[in-house]
Amino acid sequence: MYRILEKTQFSEKVFKFRIEAPEMAKHAHAGQFLMVRPNECGERVPFTFADWNAEEGWVEFIFMVVGKTTTMLSRYEEGDSLLDVTGPLGQPTEMGPGTWCVIGGGVGLAIAFPVARQLVETGHEVHAIMGARTKDLLLLEDQFRSILPEDHVHITTDDGSYGEKGVVTAPLERLLEAKAVDQVFCVGPVPMMKFSTLTAEKFDCPITASLNPIMVDGTGMCGCCRVEIAGETKFACVDGPDFDATKVDWDDLRARQAAYRTEEGQSLKAYEEANCACQR
Amino acid sequence: MPEVNGRWVADMKAPRTADNEESAEERARDFRPVDRGFTEEMAVAEAARCLRCKKPLCVEGCPVNINIPAFIEKIYEKDFGAGLDIIRESSMLPAICGRVCPQETQCEGKCIRGKKSEPVAIGQLERFLGDQPELASKPEMKPANGMKVAVIGSGPSGITCAGELARNGFDVTVFEAFFTGGGVLVYGIPEFRLPKAVVKREIDGLKEMGVKFEFNSVMGNLADAEELLGEKGFDAIYVATGAGLPKFLNIPGENLPNVFFANEYLTRVNLMKANQFPEFDTPTKHGKQVIVFGGGNVAMDAVRTAKRLGAERAIIAYRRTEDEMPARKAELHHAKAEGVEVMPLVSPLEFLKGEDGNVCGVRVQKMELGEPDESGRRRPVPIEGAIEEIPCDVAISAIGTNANPFAKKIGGMELNKWGYIVADEKTGRTSNPKIWAGGDIVTGAATVILAMGAGKAAAADMTTVLTGQE
């Protein structure tokens, strides 16, 4: 059992859990993830580490309420326990030399933050582009600001309710044009990653994406999370989740992400009608 | 009568006792165990068929050399506890091996009675005893020797090794990546072939012997060999992580939605109970027309699972013929009885995408058998121009597995170029004097009993080496 030490709510649908997991905290790296099975009848869901502390023995992850499992998780409180938490899984993000631009969209900001922080800690100059649909969905602004110079934090919202109106590719294009960055890391919804990649490619700038396909075991045994990279099949859980974004088949990723849309709807409906085996 | 003038005479007239099965129509609709196993009466009658050979070939055919005639004699005498004790001298998992061993190529394949009629049903008899574990004598436990061993992986090899080590006085911790123990026994082999309660009973038995289990522990990403042998204070490690990484078909369309590797398809149902969705949260696809590529047990398990999830047409497609299929003969027979269609001599060329973006069919190349290859089996060769399209809404690839990547991450020992651990066949010793290894991560995908045998052999060798008896 993995105790929830702290629960934080960022917006109506976005939460953070701090979980007691000393061994995991000792071995976690930026870019890696964990898998949660909340209870006996639960499914296994991957979440990227948002933070961890080896001395205090905890790890954190951020989630947005989108379906049954995340709805149920949002009702867990401090002191409750998750039945199974497995990790760290996947490869740590590789952090080569040069100036970096870290792009996070929506909940992807939670994954982008530890990458940005580790880059800063290892002596890199870092720009962050923070994207959200609206101001309320913008995560971790204070945390990003606490590690980066003011003019290195670029904020965009789709509706213009905060920061610059529009999407993350506008500030990215400006940075690339000014030759201010050597390397891009992006994480967020598929369209955001796809268009960031097209922008980076235009300037011949290397770009890495952290992919988020559906997973079952997370240890390379099933291949549910497979993605096509330069025409080759790779397993995101053991070969990734980070890949050279210019080589990713985005349509394939999107199609596979959507494979269980109908079932996801059924599951949430059954939960709301209290028909699941271990109702919470 | 088997005893004549105090001398054993086998019942030569009795035919092999038929398996005690659920009817095919009933069982193909749910996940209940297909084979109910022998009743006491059936077991005793079958035991009477054994010739009690002086040089029993069946024992040679068993990878761990169980004293088969001896336990069968005890069954005939209705001294079931004593029979079980005899098996447990060689094998700790009779309830599992009796169910899943390919007996026709092992013990029963060698049985002398099989030459003229049918072999003794050794697997069924072993299982009959294995299902009554309460009759066995308590294992003799050596006093604690103060040494700690880490076992990585809780599949058949890991749990066998752990049990033997615990009996030899070691303090044993098993590290398992999943949330429950058993490896392929829980995620791979379905309930209708191996009830999960049987596996749980074995794991619980180990816990009673003092073996500790650390679940959700992905070794290599958590502690590696250096840390386990260093700050964690283990005196030795047994690595039994298995070979679970699926092999690709490497054909177009392989990544379309509703094209599965068998491991995913089986894990969703066996481990995550997707057949009970939405009561359980993990979904799966209930294909109406399902095609499975492969001819091994995994392919059989997948196609029979598909049938139980409601497939109207469930096809097992294999590039050779039925005779060359490596699956257990009993499972092929069960599958066919349940209405599974066998499509021999085809090889997939491409998965086709339907209007909804999901797989809607597969193009296959028809084959014929040519000259024998290195393995002595006739090689399938394509018949030029003979290409066919088969409609399907779920396609499953079950053509085998590779070494999983965690042996490399655990580190500290030599691997071969395919990522398998280099280890001595008899002792399990690796290039590192503190690390032993066995099971599929050494041999490649093989059988439960071989994995178990390797665990047992390694435990014996570790005991000799670590307690300085060498």
Side-chain angles (χ1 to χ4, degrees), chain A residues 2 23 26-27 37 40-44 68 84-91 216-217 219-222 224 226 228 233 235 252 255-256 259-260 263 266-267 277, chain B residues 177-179 187 216 218 221-223 227 231-232 244-246 248 254-257 259-261 263-264 267-268 272 277-285 405-406 409:
Chain A
Y2 298 77
E23 282 298 307
K26 234 166 52 184
H27 297 93
R37 186 176 76 132
E40 275 298 332
C41 64
E43 60 181 338
R44 289 162 67 88
K68 148 90 197 258
D84 298 297
V85 181
T86 313
L89 296 165
Q91 306 288 346
V216 178
D217 72 276
T219 63
M221 293 225 329
C222 77
C224 178
R226 61 198 190 271
E228 237 174 277
T233 299
F235 290 0
D252 169 77
R256 292 190 62 84
Y260 289 90
E263 291 83 356
Q266 284 172 2
S267 179
Chain B
F178 270 138
F179 55 78
Y187 74 76
N216 297 312
V218 183
N221 278 17
L222 278 177
E227 188 178 333
E231 64 181 276
K232 294 261 189 275
L245 195 71
F248 304 145
E254 190 162 23
N255 295 338
L256 285 172
V259 178
F260 292 86
F261 291 120
N263 267 5
E264 180 191 345
T267 300
R268 283 180 180 269
M272 306 309 294
F277 178 86
E279 264 180 76
F280 284 75
D281 293 343
T282 306
T284 187
K285 294 294 176 184
F406 287 94
K409 291 190 162 185

Coordinates of all heavy atoms in Angstrom, one line a residue, chain A residues 2 23 26-27 37 40-44 68 84-91 216-217 219-222 224 226 228 233 235 252 255-256 259-260 263 266-267 277, chain B residues 177-179 187 216 218 221-223 227 231-232 244-246 248 254-257 259-261 263-264 267-268 272 277-285 405-406 409:
Chain A
Y2 N 0.4 2.2 -0.7 CA 1.2 3.5 -0.9 C 0.4 4.6 -0.4 O -0.6 5.0 -1.1 CB 1.6 3.6 -2.4 CG 2.5 2.5 -2.8 CD1 2.0 1.2 -3.1 CD2 3.9 2.6 -2.9 CE1 2.8 0.1 -3.5 CE2 4.7 1.5 -3.3 CZ 4.1 0.3 -3.6 OH 4.9 -0.7 -3.9
E23 N 11.8 3.7 -1.8 CA 12.7 3.1 -2.7 C 12.6 3.8 -4.1 O 13.6 4.0 -4.8 CB 12.4 1.6 -2.9 CG 12.9 0.8 -1.7 CD 14.4 0.8 -1.6 OE1 15.1 0.6 -2.7 OE2 15.0 1.1 -0.5
K26 N 14.3 7.1 -4.3 CA 15.8 7.0 -4.3 C 16.3 6.8 -5.7 O 17.4 7.1 -6.0 CB 16.2 5.8 -3.4 CG 17.2 6.2 -2.4 CD 17.4 5.2 -1.3 CE 17.7 3.8 -1.7 NZ 17.9 3.0 -0.5
H27 N 15.4 6.2 -6.6 CA 15.9 5.8 -7.9 C 15.3 6.6 -9.1 O 15.5 6.2 -10.2 CB 15.7 4.3 -8.1 CG 16.5 3.5 -7.1 ND1 16.0 3.1 -5.9 CD2 17.8 3.1 -7.2 CE1 16.9 2.4 -5.3 NE2 18.0 2.4 -6.0
R37 N -2.2 1.3 -9.7 CA -3.4 0.6 -9.7 C -4.1 0.9 -8.4 O -3.7 0.5 -7.4 CB -3.2 -0.9 -9.9 CG -4.5 -1.7 -10.0 CD -4.3 -3.2 -10.2 NE -3.9 -3.9 -9.0 CZ -4.5 -5.0 -8.5 NH1 -5.4 -5.6 -9.2 NH2 -4.1 -5.5 -7.4
E40 N -8.3 -3.1 -6.0 CA -8.3 -4.5 -6.5 C -8.9 -4.6 -7.9 O -8.6 -5.4 -8.7 CB -9.2 -5.3 -5.6 CG -8.4 -5.9 -4.4 CD -7.3 -6.9 -4.8 OE1 -7.4 -7.5 -5.9 OE2 -6.3 -7.0 -4.1
C41 N -10.0 -3.8 -8.2 CA -10.6 -3.9 -9.5 C -10.1 -2.9 -10.5 O -10.6 -2.7 -11.6 CB -12.1 -3.8 -9.4 SG -12.7 -2.3 -8.8
G42 N -9.0 -2.2 -10.1 CA -8.5 -1.0 -10.9 C -7.7 -1.5 -12.1 O -7.3 -2.6 -12.2
E43 N -7.5 -0.5 -13.0 CA -6.6 -0.7 -14.1 C -5.3 0.0 -13.7 O -5.2 0.7 -12.7 CB -7.2 0.0 -15.4 CG -7.4 1.5 -15.2 CD -8.0 2.1 -16.5 OE1 -7.9 1.5 -17.6 OE2 -8.6 3.2 -16.4
R44 N -4.3 -0.3 -14.6 CA -2.9 0.3 -14.4 C -2.8 1.5 -15.3 O -3.0 1.4 -16.5 CB -1.8 -0.7 -14.7 CG -1.7 -1.9 -13.7 CD -1.0 -3.0 -14.3 NE 0.4 -2.8 -14.6 CZ 1.4 -2.9 -13.7 NH1 1.1 -3.4 -12.5 NH2 2.7 -2.7 -14.0
K68 N -12.7 7.3 -15.8 CA -13.1 6.6 -14.5 C -12.0 6.6 -13.5 O -12.2 7.1 -12.3 CB -13.5 5.2 -14.8 CG -13.1 4.1 -13.8 CD -14.2 3.9 -12.8 CE -13.8 3.2 -11.5 NZ -14.1 1.8 -11.5
D84 N -1.4 -0.2 -5.5 CA -0.1 -0.5 -6.2 C 0.5 0.7 -6.9 O -0.2 1.3 -7.6 CB -0.3 -1.6 -7.2 CG -0.8 -2.9 -6.6 OD1 0.0 -3.5 -5.8 OD2 -1.9 -3.4 -6.9
V85 N 1.7 1.0 -6.6 CA 2.4 2.0 -7.4 C 3.8 1.4 -7.8 O 4.5 0.9 -6.9 CB 2.7 3.3 -6.5 CG1 3.4 4.3 -7.4 CG2 1.3 3.8 -6.0
T86 N 4.0 1.3 -9.1 CA 5.2 0.7 -9.6 C 6.1 1.7 -10.3 O 5.6 2.5 -11.1 CB 4.9 -0.4 -10.6 OG1 3.8 -1.2 -10.0 CG2 6.1 -1.3 -10.9
G87 N 7.4 1.7 -10.1 CA 8.3 2.6 -10.8 C 9.6 2.6 -10.1 O 9.8 1.9 -9.1
P88 N 10.6 3.4 -10.6 CA 10.5 4.2 -11.8 C 10.5 3.3 -13.0 O 11.2 2.3 -13.0 CB 11.7 5.1 -11.7 CG 12.7 4.3 -10.9 CD 11.9 3.5 -9.9
L89 N 9.8 3.7 -14.1 CA 9.8 3.0 -15.4 C 10.3 4.0 -16.5 O 10.2 5.2 -16.3 CB 8.4 2.5 -15.6 CG 7.9 1.5 -14.6 CD1 6.3 1.3 -14.7 CD2 8.5 0.2 -14.8
G90 N 10.7 3.3 -17.6 CA 11.1 4.1 -18.7 C 12.5 4.6 -18.6 O 13.2 4.5 -17.5
Q91 N 13.0 5.3 -19.6 CA 14.4 5.8 -19.6 C 14.4 7.3 -19.2 O 13.5 8.0 -19.5 CB 15.0 5.8 -21.1 CG 14.9 4.5 -21.8 CD 15.9 3.5 -21.2 OE1 16.8 3.9 -20.5 NE2 15.8 2.2 -21.5
V216 N -0.2 -1.0 -20.4 CA -0.8 -2.0 -19.5 C 0.2 -2.4 -18.5 O 0.0 -2.2 -17.3 CB -1.3 -3.2 -20.3 CG1 -1.9 -4.3 -19.3 CG2 -2.4 -2.8 -21.3
D217 N 1.3 -3.0 -18.9 CA 2.3 -3.4 -17.8 C 3.4 -2.4 -17.6 O 3.9 -2.3 -16.5 CB 2.8 -4.8 -18.1 CG 3.8 -4.7 -19.3 OD1 3.4 -4.8 -20.4 OD2 5.0 -4.6 -19.0
T219 N 6.4 -2.5 -18.5 CA 7.7 -3.0 -18.4 C 8.2 -3.7 -19.7 O 9.1 -4.5 -19.7 CB 7.8 -4.0 -17.2 OG1 6.9 -5.1 -17.5 CG2 7.4 -3.4 -15.9
G220 N 7.5 -3.5 -20.8 CA 8.0 -4.0 -22.1 C 7.5 -5.4 -22.4 O 7.9 -6.0 -23.4
M221 N 6.5 -5.9 -21.6 CA 6.1 -7.2 -21.9 C 4.9 -7.3 -22.9 O 4.6 -8.4 -23.4 CB 5.6 -7.8 -20.6 CG 6.8 -8.0 -19.7 SD 6.7 -9.5 -18.9 CE 4.9 -9.7 -19.0
C222 N 4.1 -6.3 -23.0 CA 2.9 -6.4 -23.8 C 2.9 -5.7 -25.1 O 2.3 -6.2 -26.1 CB 1.7 -6.1 -23.0 SG 1.4 -4.4 -22.8
C224 N 1.5 -2.8 -25.8 CA 0.4 -2.0 -26.0 C 0.8 -0.5 -26.3 O 0.2 0.1 -27.1 CB -0.5 -2.0 -24.7 SG -1.9 -0.9 -24.7
R226 N 3.2 0.5 -28.1 CA 4.1 0.7 -29.2 C 3.9 1.9 -30.0 O 2.7 2.3 -30.2 CB 4.2 -0.6 -30.0 CG 3.0 -1.0 -30.7 CD 3.1 -2.5 -31.1 NE 2.1 -3.0 -32.0 CZ 1.0 -3.5 -31.5 NH1 0.7 -3.6 -30.2 NH2 0.1 -4.0 -32.4
E228 N 5.5 4.2 -33.6 CA 6.4 4.0 -34.8 C 7.4 5.2 -34.8 O 7.0 6.3 -34.9 CB 5.5 4.0 -36.0 CG 5.8 2.7 -36.8 CD 4.8 2.6 -38.0 OE1 3.7 2.1 -37.7 OE2 5.2 3.0 -39.1
T233 N 9.1 -0.1 -35.0 CA 8.3 -0.2 -33.9 C 9.1 -0.1 -32.6 O 10.1 -0.9 -32.5 CB 7.5 -1.5 -33.9 OG1 6.6 -1.5 -35.1 CG2 6.6 -1.7 -32.7
F235 N 8.8 0.3 -28.1 CA 7.9 0.3 -26.9 C 8.2 1.5 -26.1 O 9.3 1.7 -25.6 CB 8.1 -1.0 -26.1 CG 7.6 -2.2 -26.7 CD1 7.1 -2.2 -28.0 CD2 7.8 -3.5 -26.1 CE1 6.6 -3.4 -28.6 CE2 7.3 -4.6 -26.7 CZ 6.8 -4.6 -27.9
D252 N -0.3 7.6 -36.1 CA -0.3 6.3 -35.5 C -0.5 6.4 -34.0 O -1.3 5.7 -33.4 CB 1.0 5.6 -35.8 CG 1.3 4.3 -35.0 OD1 0.7 3.3 -35.4 OD2 2.0 4.3 -34.1
A255 N -4.1 7.4 -33.2 CA -5.1 6.3 -33.4 C -5.0 5.3 -32.3 O -6.1 4.9 -31.8 CB -4.8 5.6 -34.8
R256 N -3.8 5.0 -31.8 CA -3.7 4.0 -30.8 C -4.2 4.6 -29.4 O -4.8 3.9 -28.6 CB -2.3 3.5 -30.7 CG -1.8 2.7 -31.9 CD -0.5 2.0 -31.6 NE -0.6 1.0 -30.5 CZ -1.0 -0.2 -30.6 NH1 -1.4 -0.7 -31.8 NH2 -1.1 -1.0 -29.6
A259 N -8.0 4.1 -29.1 CA -8.5 2.8 -29.4 C -9.6 2.4 -28.4 O -10.4 1.5 -28.7 CB -7.4 1.8 -29.4
Y260 N -9.6 2.9 -27.2 CA -10.6 2.5 -26.2 C -11.5 3.6 -25.8 O -12.1 3.6 -24.7 CB -9.8 1.9 -25.0 CG -9.2 0.6 -25.3 CD1 -7.9 0.5 -25.8 CD2 -9.9 -0.6 -25.1 CE1 -7.3 -0.7 -26.1 CE2 -9.3 -1.8 -25.4 CZ -8.0 -1.9 -25.9 OH -7.4 -3.1 -26.2
E263 N -15.0 2.3 -24.7 CA -14.9 1.6 -23.4 C -14.6 2.5 -22.2 O -15.1 2.4 -21.1 CB -13.8 0.5 -23.4 CG -14.1 -0.7 -24.3 CD -13.7 -0.4 -25.8 OE1 -13.3 0.7 -26.1 OE2 -13.9 -1.4 -26.6
Q266 N -17.9 3.9 -21.3 CA -18.7 2.9 -20.6 C -18.2 2.8 -19.1 O -19.0 2.7 -18.2 CB -18.5 1.6 -21.2 CG -19.3 1.4 -22.5 CD -18.9 0.0 -23.2 OE1 -18.1 -0.7 -22.6 NE2 -19.4 -0.2 -24.3
S267 N -16.9 2.8 -18.9 CA -16.4 2.6 -17.6 C -16.7 3.8 -16.7 O -17.2 3.6 -15.6 CB -14.8 2.5 -17.7 OG -14.3 2.4 -16.5
A277 N -17.1 -2.9 -9.2 CA -16.9 -3.9 -8.1 C -16.4 -3.3 -6.8 O -16.9 -3.6 -5.7 CB -16.0 -5.0 -8.6
Chain B
A177 N 8.0 -7.5 -10.4 CA 7.6 -6.2 -11.0 C 6.1 -6.0 -10.9 O 5.6 -4.9 -10.8 CB 8.1 -6.2 -12.4
F178 N 5.3 -7.1 -11.1 CA 3.9 -7.0 -11.0 C 3.3 -6.9 -9.6 O 4.1 -7.1 -8.7 CB 3.2 -8.2 -11.7 CG 3.0 -8.0 -13.2 CD1 3.3 -9.0 -14.1 CD2 2.5 -6.8 -13.7 CE1 3.1 -8.8 -15.5 CE2 2.3 -6.6 -15.1 CZ 2.6 -7.6 -15.9
F179 N 2.0 -6.7 -9.5 CA 1.5 -6.6 -8.1 C 1.1 -7.9 -7.5 O 0.6 -8.0 -6.4 CB 0.2 -5.7 -8.2 CG -0.8 -6.1 -9.2 CD1 -1.7 -7.2 -8.9 CD2 -1.0 -5.5 -10.4 CE1 -2.7 -7.6 -9.8 CE2 -1.9 -5.9 -11.3 CZ -2.8 -6.9 -11.0
Y187 N -0.2 -14.1 -15.6 CA -0.6 -13.2 -16.7 C -0.8 -13.9 -18.0 O -1.5 -13.4 -18.9 CB 0.4 -12.0 -16.8 CG 1.7 -12.3 -17.4 CD1 1.8 -12.5 -18.8 CD2 2.9 -12.5 -16.7 CE1 3.0 -12.9 -19.4 CE2 4.1 -12.8 -17.3 CZ 4.2 -13.0 -18.6 OH 5.3 -13.3 -19.2
N216 N 5.5 -5.0 -7.0 CA 5.7 -3.7 -7.6 C 7.2 -3.2 -7.6 O 7.5 -2.1 -7.5 CB 4.9 -2.6 -6.9 CG 3.4 -2.9 -7.0 OD1 2.9 -3.1 -8.1 ND2 2.7 -2.8 -5.9
V218 N 10.4 -3.2 -9.7 CA 11.1 -3.5 -11.0 C 12.6 -3.4 -10.8 O 13.1 -2.3 -10.8 CB 10.6 -2.4 -12.0 CG1 11.2 -2.7 -13.4 CG2 9.1 -2.5 -12.2
N221 N 15.6 -1.0 -12.5 CA 15.2 0.4 -12.4 C 15.2 0.8 -10.9 O 15.5 2.0 -10.6 CB 13.8 0.7 -13.0 CG 13.8 0.8 -14.5 OD1 14.8 0.4 -15.1 ND2 12.8 1.3 -15.1
L222 N 14.7 -0.1 -10.1 CA 14.9 0.2 -8.6 C 16.4 -0.3 -8.4 O 17.2 0.1 -9.1 CB 13.9 -0.6 -7.8 CG 12.5 0.0 -7.6 CD1 11.6 -0.9 -6.9 CD2 12.6 1.3 -6.9
A223 N 16.6 -1.0 -7.3 CA 18.0 -1.5 -7.1 C 18.5 -2.3 -8.2 O 17.8 -3.0 -8.9 CB 18.0 -2.3 -5.8
E227 N 23.7 -2.7 -6.0 CA 23.1 -2.2 -4.8 C 22.6 -3.4 -3.9 O 22.7 -3.3 -2.7 CB 21.9 -1.3 -5.1 CG 21.3 -0.6 -3.9 CD 20.2 0.4 -4.3 OE1 20.2 0.9 -5.4 OE2 19.3 0.6 -3.4
E231 N 24.8 -2.2 -0.5 CA 24.1 -1.6 0.7 C 22.9 -2.4 1.1 O 22.5 -2.4 2.3 CB 23.8 -0.2 0.4 CG 22.8 0.1 -0.7 CD 22.5 1.6 -0.9 OE1 21.7 2.1 -0.2 OE2 23.2 2.2 -1.8
K232 N 22.3 -3.2 0.2 CA 21.1 -4.0 0.6 C 21.5 -5.3 1.4 O 20.7 -5.9 1.9 CB 20.2 -4.3 -0.6 CG 19.6 -3.1 -1.2 CD 18.1 -2.9 -0.8 CE 17.4 -1.9 -1.6 NZ 17.7 -0.5 -1.1
G244 N 9.9 -12.1 -21.8 CA 8.5 -11.7 -22.1 C 8.3 -10.7 -23.1 O 7.2 -10.2 -23.4
L245 N 9.4 -10.2 -23.8 CA 9.3 -9.2 -24.8 C 8.8 -9.7 -26.1 O 9.4 -10.6 -26.7 CB 10.7 -8.6 -25.0 CG 10.9 -7.3 -25.7 CD1 10.4 -6.1 -24.8 CD2 12.3 -7.0 -26.0
P246 N 7.7 -9.3 -26.6 CA 7.1 -9.9 -27.8 C 8.0 -9.7 -29.0 O 8.6 -8.7 -29.2 CB 5.8 -9.2 -28.0 CG 5.5 -8.4 -26.7 CD 6.8 -8.2 -26.0
F248 N 8.2 -9.2 -33.0 CA 7.4 -8.6 -34.1 C 7.2 -9.5 -35.3 O 8.1 -10.2 -35.6 CB 8.1 -7.3 -34.6 CG 8.4 -6.3 -33.5 CD1 9.5 -5.5 -33.6 CD2 7.5 -6.1 -32.4 CE1 9.8 -4.6 -32.6 CE2 7.8 -5.2 -31.4 CZ 9.0 -4.4 -31.5
E254 N 1.0 -3.6 -38.5 CA 1.2 -4.3 -37.2 C 0.8 -3.4 -36.1 O 0.4 -3.9 -35.0 CB 2.6 -4.8 -37.1 CG 2.7 -5.7 -35.9 CD 4.0 -6.5 -35.9 OE1 5.0 -6.1 -36.6 OE2 4.0 -7.6 -35.3
N255 N 0.9 -2.1 -36.2 CA 0.5 -1.2 -35.1 C -0.9 -0.6 -35.2 O -1.3 0.3 -34.4 CB 1.5 0.0 -35.1 CG 2.9 -0.5 -34.7 OD1 3.0 -1.6 -34.1 ND2 3.9 0.2 -35.1
L256 N -1.7 -1.2 -36.1 CA -3.1 -0.7 -36.1 C -3.8 -1.0 -34.9 O -3.6 -2.1 -34.2 CB -3.9 -1.4 -37.3 CG -3.6 -1.0 -38.7 CD1 -4.2 -1.9 -39.7 CD2 -4.0 0.5 -38.9
P257 N -4.8 -0.2 -34.4 CA -5.6 -0.6 -33.3 C -6.3 -1.9 -33.5 O -6.7 -2.2 -34.6 CB -6.6 0.6 -33.2 CG -5.9 1.7 -33.8 CD -5.1 1.2 -34.9
V259 N -4.9 -4.7 -33.3 CA -3.8 -5.8 -33.5 C -3.1 -5.9 -32.2 O -2.6 -4.9 -31.7 CB -2.9 -5.4 -34.7 CG1 -1.8 -6.5 -34.9 CG2 -3.6 -5.2 -36.0
F260 N -3.0 -7.1 -31.7 CA -2.4 -7.3 -30.4 C -1.2 -8.2 -30.5 O -1.2 -9.1 -31.3 CB -3.4 -8.0 -29.4 CG -4.6 -7.2 -29.0 CD1 -5.7 -7.2 -29.8 CD2 -4.6 -6.5 -27.8 CE1 -6.8 -6.5 -29.3 CE2 -5.7 -5.8 -27.4 CZ -6.8 -5.8 -28.1
F261 N -0.3 -8.0 -29.5 CA 0.6 -9.1 -29.2 C -0.1 -10.0 -28.2 O -0.9 -9.4 -27.4 CB 1.9 -8.6 -28.6 CG 2.8 -7.9 -29.6 CD1 3.2 -6.6 -29.3 CD2 3.3 -8.5 -30.7 CE1 4.0 -5.9 -30.2 CE2 4.1 -7.9 -31.6 CZ 4.5 -6.5 -31.3
N263 N 0.7 -11.4 -25.5 CA 1.0 -11.0 -24.1 C 0.0 -9.9 -23.7 O -0.5 -10.0 -22.5 CB 2.4 -10.5 -24.0 CG 3.4 -11.6 -23.6 OD1 3.0 -12.7 -23.6 ND2 4.6 -11.2 -23.3
E264 N -0.3 -8.9 -24.5 CA -1.2 -7.9 -24.1 C -2.6 -8.4 -23.9 O -3.3 -8.2 -23.0 CB -1.2 -6.7 -25.0 CG -2.1 -5.6 -24.6 CD -2.4 -4.5 -25.6 OE1 -1.6 -4.4 -26.6 OE2 -3.4 -3.8 -25.4
T267 N -2.7 -10.7 -20.9 CA -2.5 -9.9 -19.6 C -3.8 -9.2 -19.3 O -4.2 -9.2 -18.1 CB -1.4 -9.0 -19.7 OG1 -0.2 -9.7 -20.0 CG2 -1.2 -8.2 -18.4
R268 N -4.4 -8.5 -20.3 CA -5.7 -7.8 -20.0 C -6.7 -8.7 -19.3 O -7.4 -8.3 -18.4 CB -6.2 -7.2 -21.3 CG -5.5 -5.9 -21.7 CD -6.1 -5.4 -23.0 NE -5.4 -4.2 -23.5 CZ -5.7 -2.9 -23.1 NH1 -6.8 -2.7 -22.3 NH2 -5.0 -1.9 -23.6
M272 N -5.7 -8.6 -15.4 CA -6.5 -7.4 -15.1 C -8.0 -7.7 -15.2 O -8.8 -6.8 -14.9 CB -6.2 -6.3 -16.1 CG -4.7 -6.0 -16.2 SD -3.9 -5.6 -14.6 CE -4.8 -4.2 -14.1
F277 N -15.0 -6.5 -17.4 CA -15.2 -5.1 -17.6 C -16.7 -4.8 -17.8 O -17.4 -5.7 -18.4 CB -14.5 -4.6 -18.9 CG -14.7 -3.2 -19.2 CD1 -13.9 -2.2 -18.7 CD2 -15.7 -2.8 -20.1 CE1 -14.0 -0.9 -19.1 CE2 -15.8 -1.5 -20.5 CZ -15.0 -0.6 -20.0
P278 N -17.4 -3.8 -17.3 CA -16.7 -2.7 -16.5 C -16.7 -2.8 -15.0 O -16.4 -1.9 -14.3 CB -17.6 -1.5 -16.9 CG -19.0 -2.1 -17.1 CD -18.8 -3.5 -17.6
E279 N -17.0 -4.0 -14.5 CA -16.9 -4.2 -13.1 C -15.4 -4.1 -12.7 O -15.0 -3.5 -11.6 CB -17.3 -5.6 -12.7 CG -18.7 -5.8 -12.2 CD -19.0 -7.2 -11.8 OE1 -18.5 -7.6 -10.8 OE2 -19.7 -7.8 -12.6
F280 N -14.5 -4.6 -13.5 CA -13.1 -4.3 -13.4 C -12.8 -3.3 -14.5 O -13.4 -3.3 -15.6 CB -12.3 -5.6 -13.6 CG -12.3 -6.5 -12.4 CD1 -13.5 -7.2 -12.1 CD2 -11.3 -6.5 -11.5 CE1 -13.5 -8.0 -10.9 CE2 -11.3 -7.3 -10.3 CZ -12.5 -8.0 -10.0
D281 N -11.8 -2.4 -14.2 CA -11.6 -1.2 -15.0 C -10.9 -1.4 -16.3 O -11.0 -0.5 -17.2 CB -10.8 -0.2 -14.2 CG -11.7 0.3 -13.0 OD1 -12.9 0.1 -13.0 OD2 -11.1 0.9 -12.1
T282 N -10.1 -2.5 -16.5 CA -9.4 -2.7 -17.7 C -10.2 -3.2 -18.8 O -10.8 -4.3 -18.7 CB -8.2 -3.6 -17.5 OG1 -7.4 -3.1 -16.4 CG2 -7.3 -3.8 -18.7
P283 N -10.3 -2.5 -20.0 CA -11.2 -3.0 -21.1 C -10.4 -4.0 -22.0 O -9.1 -4.0 -21.9 CB -11.5 -1.8 -21.8 CG -10.4 -0.8 -21.6 CD -9.8 -1.2 -20.3
T284 N -11.1 -4.7 -22.8 CA -10.4 -5.4 -23.9 C -11.3 -5.3 -25.1 O -12.4 -4.8 -25.0 CB -10.0 -6.8 -23.6 OG1 -9.2 -7.3 -24.6 CG2 -11.2 -7.7 -23.4
K285 N -10.9 -5.9 -26.2 CA -11.7 -5.9 -27.4 C -12.4 -7.3 -27.6 O -11.7 -8.3 -27.5 CB -10.9 -5.6 -28.7 CG -10.3 -4.2 -28.7 CD -11.4 -3.2 -28.8 CE -10.8 -1.8 -28.6 NZ -11.9 -0.7 -28.6
P405 N 14.2 -6.7 -21.2 CA 15.4 -5.8 -21.1 C 16.0 -5.6 -19.7 O 17.0 -4.9 -19.5 CB 14.9 -4.5 -21.6 CG 13.4 -4.5 -21.4 CD 13.0 -5.9 -21.4
F406 N 15.4 -6.3 -18.7 CA 15.8 -5.9 -17.3 C 17.1 -6.6 -16.8 O 17.7 -6.2 -15.9 CB 14.6 -6.1 -16.3 CG 13.6 -5.0 -16.6 CD1 12.5 -5.2 -17.4 CD2 13.8 -3.7 -16.0 CE1 11.6 -4.1 -17.6 CE2 13.0 -2.7 -16.2 CZ 11.9 -2.9 -17.0
K409 N 19.7 -4.2 -17.2 CA 19.7 -3.1 -16.2 C 20.1 -3.6 -14.8 O 20.6 -2.8 -14.1 CB 18.3 -2.6 -16.2 CG 17.9 -1.8 -17.4 CD 16.6 -1.1 -17.2 CE 16.5 0.0 -18.3 NZ 15.3 0.8 -18.0

